[in-house]
């Protein structure tokens, strides 16, 4: 598609004007028509207790069925989604997830299972959990693990609680500190603090790698573990990871790996083989659950044998070919989530993993290829702060455009006019004016080329017409919102105008 067509398409909603559904309301209109009552009427106030029943809902919109449908359908067309185009947010892996896995997760016998139904008729679901855990252990090179955690960050917390339990049990104390490189994901230090540890920073060297000399200086008997995001938030592989593992192990400490971005490693290398003791995966990034909008996720934790006794209960156990959920584990850290975890997400991950088989390596190679393709095509117009080879994402900075007063946020906003979702701005924090781009394996060369054309065109605009970029987006109904006020003082409730101000 020519760039100008793309811009036109991106701006296709600018002339639409959709009010709130409350503003469409006409007293007496109904979206339904119930048949006459053929059973005795019951007063809901008596049935439920009057404190649970409202007299009326103030300002409740009264509209017809087709008005409801059209209103929400029109609104849905204002959304940007992976089904409409590329979503190059770095660190988040917003990729296309196969529809067939959605179908599998919705199969009757899977979607309608209940965790309290008898184990004799839950064997299939337990098998899904058992098989998925062994697949993930195989992909990561770990021994076993837990599927319970509901997100990456909860996986991190689970992992550190396992380390605490292990150290307390085997060394008599949990130790005090967790080391975290400055290229780690922001959830890592937060997790360490919640798990009761002090955080000590490990700097990156000039290539964006963990500074091994510095690590040797600071590691001691107070260090419980190091948490390494690998690939780091710079999108580069930690080449010193095996050496870091050895240094930690020599001091009786463990190595935690944040494997949220396993889509850069799966099928190529295994954390268990380079010294990692415990790690989490984000099934809603690498393994097929769509994410964004706060939907359900899963952050399974994989561990080496030494941590097995402390894993959360219940665990799937097998005896004489019969599967059950086993809770008798005296050293367990306890439950971190109800039952087996977010089951639907786990089903998608298994469907995805089995469908790929060893082919998962191809997905990884394509993700890395796409990121490096974009890097090569843009590195003459955008500044590249670190020159280590990129993995699944590439981090530029706005250093060159800054000279004309254009920053990463402006460029991201201008991308909207070109019909792309913005990339990740201002993260990682160790790069000033960061522009973090992850195309993922889903994108074709054609889509990557259109993205490159848009980014090059914006670089040109930043040089010749910086105002155009600084005032972007120009194709949306609203331009730049006051994001701080929106977060701190959100307007959550509509009130009729004549009545009072909006709250
Ligand atoms: C997304 C991400 C996390 C956090 O995962 P959540 O599921 O959002 O809690 C942690 N680390 C890295 C590297 C990530 O990309």
């Amino acid at each position: 598609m020519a760039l100008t067509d793309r811009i036109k398409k991106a701006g296709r909603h600018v002339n639409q004007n959709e009010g709130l559904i409350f503003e469409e309301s006409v007293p007496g209109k109904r979206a339904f028509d119930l048949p006459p009552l053929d059973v005795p009427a019951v007063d809901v106030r008596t049935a439920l207790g009057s404190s649970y029943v409202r007299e009326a809902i103030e300002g409740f919109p009264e509209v017809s069925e087709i008005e409801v449908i059209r209103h929400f359908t029109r609104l849905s067309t204002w959304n940007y989604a992976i089904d409409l185009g590329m979503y190059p947010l770095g660190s988040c892996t917003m990729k296309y997830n196969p529809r067939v896995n959605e179908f599998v997760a919705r199969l009757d016998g899977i979607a309608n299972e209940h965790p309290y139904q008898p184990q004799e008729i839950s064997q299939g679901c337990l098998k899904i959990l058992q098989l998925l855990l062994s697949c993930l252990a195989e992909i990561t090179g770990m021994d076993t693990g837990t599927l319970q955690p509901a997100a990456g960050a909860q996986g991190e917390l689970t992992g550190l609680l396992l380390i605490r339990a292990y150290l307390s049990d085997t060394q008599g104390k949990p130790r005090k500190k967790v080391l975290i490189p400055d290229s780690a994901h922001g959830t890592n230090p937060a997790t360490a603090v919640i798990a009761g540890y002090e955080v000590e920073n490990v700097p990156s060297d000039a290539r964006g790698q963990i500074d091994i000399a510095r690590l040797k200086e600071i590691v001691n008997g107070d260090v419980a573990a190091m948490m390494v995001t690998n690939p780091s938030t710079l999108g580069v592989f930690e080449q010193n990871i095996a050496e870091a593992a050895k240094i930690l192990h020599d001091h009786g400490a463990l190595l935690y790996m944040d494997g949220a971005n396993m889509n850069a490693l799966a099928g190529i290398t295994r954390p268990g083989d380079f010294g990692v003791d415990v790690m989490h995966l984000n099934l809603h990034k690498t393994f097929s659950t769509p994410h964004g909008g706060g939907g359900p996720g899963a952050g399974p934790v994989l561990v080496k044998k030494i941590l097995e006794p402390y894993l959360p209960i219940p665990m799937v156990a097998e005896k004489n070919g019969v599967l059950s959920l086993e809770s008798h584990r005296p050293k367990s850290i306890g439950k971190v989530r109800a039952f087996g975890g977010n089951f639907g997400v786990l089903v998608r991950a298994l469907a995805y993993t089995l469908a790929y088989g060893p082919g998962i390596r191809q997905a990884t190679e394509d993700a890395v290829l796409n990121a490096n393709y974009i890097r090569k095509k843009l590195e003459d117009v955008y500044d590249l702060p670190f020159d280590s080879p990129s993995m699944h994402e590439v981090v530029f900075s706005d250093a060159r455009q800054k000279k004309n007063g254009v920053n990463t946020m402006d460029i991201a906003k201008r991308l909207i006019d070109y019909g792309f979702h913005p990339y990740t701005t201002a993260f990682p924090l160790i790069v000033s004016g960061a522009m973090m781009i992850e195309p993922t394996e889903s994108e074709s060369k054609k889509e990557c080329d259109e993205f490159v054309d848009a980014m090059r065109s914006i670089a040109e605009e930043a040089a010749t017409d910086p105002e155009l970029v600084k005032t972007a987006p120009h194709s949306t109904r609203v331009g730049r919102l006051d994001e701080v006020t929106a977060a701190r003082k959100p307007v959550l409730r509509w009130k009729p105008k004549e009545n009072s101000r909006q709250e």
Side-chain angles (χ1 to χ4, degrees):
M1 200 189 314
L3 211 47
T4 45
D5 291 340
R6 184 127 197 163
I7 295 175
K8 264 190 234 144
K9 218 167 138 188
R12 69 196 182 281
H13 311 306
V14 77
N15 296 321
Q16 284 186 10
N17 198 11
E18 190 73 20
L20 297 172
I21 192 142
F22 301 96
E23 293 164 318
E24 303 285 313
S25 183
V26 173
K29 272 201 185 181
R30 285 282 175 277
F32 60 88
D33 195 5
L34 295 179
L37 200 61
D38 59 359
V39 290
V42 172
D43 183 350
V44 278
R45 278 180 216 85
T46 326
L48 294 176
S50 55
S51 58
Y52 294 111
V53 182
R54 277 189 282 206
E55 287 302 324
I57 307 175
E58 191 194 349
F60 192 76
E62 296 180 80
V63 286
S64 72
E65 178 175 336
I66 192 142
E67 285 166 343
V68 178
I69 298 291
R70 287 186 179 153
H71 171 74
F72 287 108
T73 304
R74 282 194 298 260
L75 280 187
S76 76
T77 67
W78 294 5
N79 266 345
Y80 189 87
I82 198 79
D83 288 352
L84 285 171
M86 182 168 159
Y87 216 115
L89 278 181
S91 193
C92 293
T93 311
M94 301 294 287
K95 68 177 177 183
Y96 173 73
N97 296 288
R99 286 290 196 280
V100 67
N101 299 339
E102 296 301 312
F103 169 78
V104 172
R106 286 171 172 78
L107 288 175
D108 240 18
I110 288 175
N112 295 329
E113 289 283 285
H114 193 281
Y116 277 140
Q117 75 191 30
Q119 262 159 22
E120 306 88 87
I121 56 168
S122 303
Q123 291 295 303
C125 288
L126 294 173
K127 187 79 200 166
I128 287 172
L129 298 177
Q130 187 196 41
L131 192 55
L132 177 63
L133 187 59
S134 66
C135 288
L136 298 180
E138 172 64 29
I139 289 170
T140 54
M142 307 297 279
D143 296 319
T144 181
T146 172
L147 301 171
Q148 275 185 30
Q154 199 191 8
E156 291 171 29
L157 180 62
T158 305
L160 283 203
L161 293 179
L162 293 173
I163 290 174
R164 264 196 101 86
Y166 165 78
L167 292 175
S168 303
D169 190 29
T170 56
Q171 301 179 12
K173 56 180 183 348
R175 300 191 170 194
K176 289 191 188 130
K177 271 194 270 182
V178 168
L179 305 180
I180 301 189
D182 57 10
S183 56
H185 194 266
T187 46
N188 296 183
T191 297
V193 170
I194 290 176
Y197 286 109
E198 283 165 37
V199 172
E200 184 165 345
N201 199 41
V202 187
S204 302
D205 64 17
R207 301 197 62 227
Q209 301 283 339
I210 297 168
D211 188 335
I212 285 289
R214 183 77 189 122
L215 173 63
K216 282 186 181 149
E217 279 166 29
I218 57 182
V219 70
N220 59 32
D222 280 343
V223 173
M226 180 158 80
M227 283 183 99
V228 176
T229 302
N230 192 21
S232 73
T233 56
L234 294 168
V236 305
F237 186 79
E238 283 298 351
Q239 284 161 17
N240 303 324
I241 190 105
E243 195 182 347
K246 179 152 191 329
I247 295 168
L248 291 160
H249 292 158
D250 285 348
H251 288 82
L254 301 187
L255 177 59
Y256 184 97
M257 189 183 109
D258 179 334
N261 297 312
M262 191 68 194
N263 56 330
L265 311 181
I268 293 180
T269 184
R270 307 194 314 162
D273 298 341
F274 52 70
V276 170
D277 299 295
V278 47
M279 65 178 292
H280 79 269
L281 296 169
N282 277 39
L283 299 190
H284 46 294
K285 286 179 185 169
T286 308
F287 294 94
S288 186
T289 280
H291 92 281
V301 171
L302 288 309
V303 301
K304 288 278 174 64
K305 202 96 193 146
I306 51 166
L307 293 168
E308 186 175 14
Y310 315 99
L311 286 168
I313 47 168
M315 293 205 16
V316 178
E318 183 167 355
K319 208 171 178 186
N320 304 327
V322 179
L323 299 171
S324 62
L325 282 175
E326 222 250 310
S327 289
H328 181 69
R329 301 177 67 83
K331 292 188 174 179
S332 165
I333 60 167
K335 266 182 199 286
V336 300
R337 196 154 196 296
F339 308 108
N342 272 339
F343 189 64
V345 177
L346 305 176
V347 172
R348 288 180 183 85
L350 183 63
Y352 182 84
T353 308
L354 293 181
Y356 266 124
I360 201 159
R361 183 187 173 102
Q362 176 83 48
T364 303
E365 286 174 349
D366 289 349
V368 174
L369 178 65
N370 278 354
N372 282 284
Y373 182 73
I374 285 175
R375 169 177 164 156
K376 265 279 161 262
K377 291 273 183 176
L378 292 179
E379 66 186 8
D380 62 321
V381 289
Y382 291 102
D383 179 65
L384 199 60
F386 289 96
D387 65 355
S388 295
S390 292
M391 300 292 290
H392 61 303
E393 62 196 2
V394 51
V395 179
F396 292 104
S397 92
D398 61 12
R400 292 189 210 171
Q401 289 69 33
K402 266 258 178 66
K403 294 184 189 119
N404 287 330
V406 172
N407 65 28
T408 176
M409 186 61 91
D410 302 326
I411 298 165
K413 296 280 187 201
R414 182 67 177 143
L415 262 183
I416 298 171
D417 290 336
Y418 283 89
F420 288 96
H421 191 282
Y423 51 75
T424 297
T425 57
F427 182 81
L429 299 177
I430 46 173
V431 172
S432 160
M435 306 162 55
M436 185 194 233
I437 299 167
E438 178 176 3
T440 80
E441 75 275 13
S442 314
E443 301 308 332
S444 63
K445 177 167 179 298
K446 181 166 161 283
E447 187 75 5
C448 290
D449 282 336
E450 286 183 19
F451 177 77
V452 163
D453 288 349
M455 288 294 287
R456 294 190 71 90
S457 174
I458 296 170
E460 178 73 28
E461 289 167 356
T464 55
D465 187 2
E467 240 357 80
L468 177 69
V469 185
K470 280 156 72 176
T471 50
H474 304 284
S475 62
T476 51
R477 280 191 2 114
V478 287
R480 303 222 180 177
L481 303 171
D482 180 347
E483 290 163 4
V484 176
T485 306
R488 298 276 154 80
K489 296 184 187 163
V491 178
L492 298 175
R493 190 165 170 209
W494 179 84
K495 288 218 168 154
K497 281 199 189 73
E498 61 278 11
N499 231 336
S500 65
R501 64 180 182 87
Q502 290 189 3
E503 257 174 25

